[in-house]
């Protein structure tokens, strides 16, 4: 997870690759006990890049949709640096264009870990 400062506000953002890891941890905790052959629960299809098991695939699709409502607020470059609209003369439009051309990982405003929201608000004061 990364913190990016935008318009003077600190927001928690998650990268899409972190989302898959978070999903798998959540799925194991909540639904893993219903699965047989635990070693292949999260097997990925080589040709489609999605989960092989229909139930896992459907749950992941719902997981992604629940987070897609979040807005892309920044990107993580291949060098591990977070870039935001403030880093570009053309602001948000140029940021999205550059990210698409470079293949950067989107960072999405979204989930705040319980307890950290109060801490972040105290730091902004």
């Amino acid at each position: 997870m990364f913190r990016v400062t935008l318009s003077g506000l600190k927001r928690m953002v998650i990268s899409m690759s972190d989302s898959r890891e978070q999903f798998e941890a959540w799925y194991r905790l909540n639904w893993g006990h219903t699965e047989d052959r635990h070693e292949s629960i999260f097997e990925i299809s080589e040709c489609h890049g999605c989960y092989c098991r229909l139930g896992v695939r459907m749950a992941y699709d719902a997981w992604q949709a629940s987070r897609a409502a979040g807005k892309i607020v920044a990107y993580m470059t291949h060098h591990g640096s977070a870039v935001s609209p403030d880093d570009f003369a053309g602001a948000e439009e140029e940021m999205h264009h550059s990210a698409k051309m470079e293949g950067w990982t989107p960072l999405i405003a979204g989930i705040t870990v319980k307890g950290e929201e109060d801490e972040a608000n105290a730091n902004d004061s």
Side-chain angles (χ1 to χ4, degrees), residues 19-38:
S19 181
R20 187 177 289 257
E21 291 174 12
Q22 291 173 352
F23 163 75
E24 290 179 4
W26 170 85
Y27 191 91
R28 270 191 198 95
L29 181 67
N30 291 280
W31 298 104
H33 66 279
T34 66
E35 298 282 351
D36 59 346
R37 295 182 34 216
H38 290 273

Side-chain angles (χ1 to χ4, degrees), residues 14-32 35 41-44 50-67 111:
I14 57 172
S15 75
M16 298 305 269
S17 60
D18 290 340
S19 181
R20 187 177 289 257
E21 291 174 12
Q22 291 173 352
F23 163 75
E24 290 179 4
W26 170 85
Y27 191 91
R28 270 191 198 95
L29 181 67
N30 291 280
W31 298 104
E35 298 282 351
I41 290 175
F42 302 116
E43 184 177 347
I44 302 292
C50 60
Y51 291 108
C52 293
R53 292 189 180 198
L54 178 61
V56 174
R57 187 167 58 241
M58 290 173 61
Y60 186 61
D61 288 346
W63 176 271
Q64 286 183 304
S66 73
R67 278 135 180 84
I111 304 168

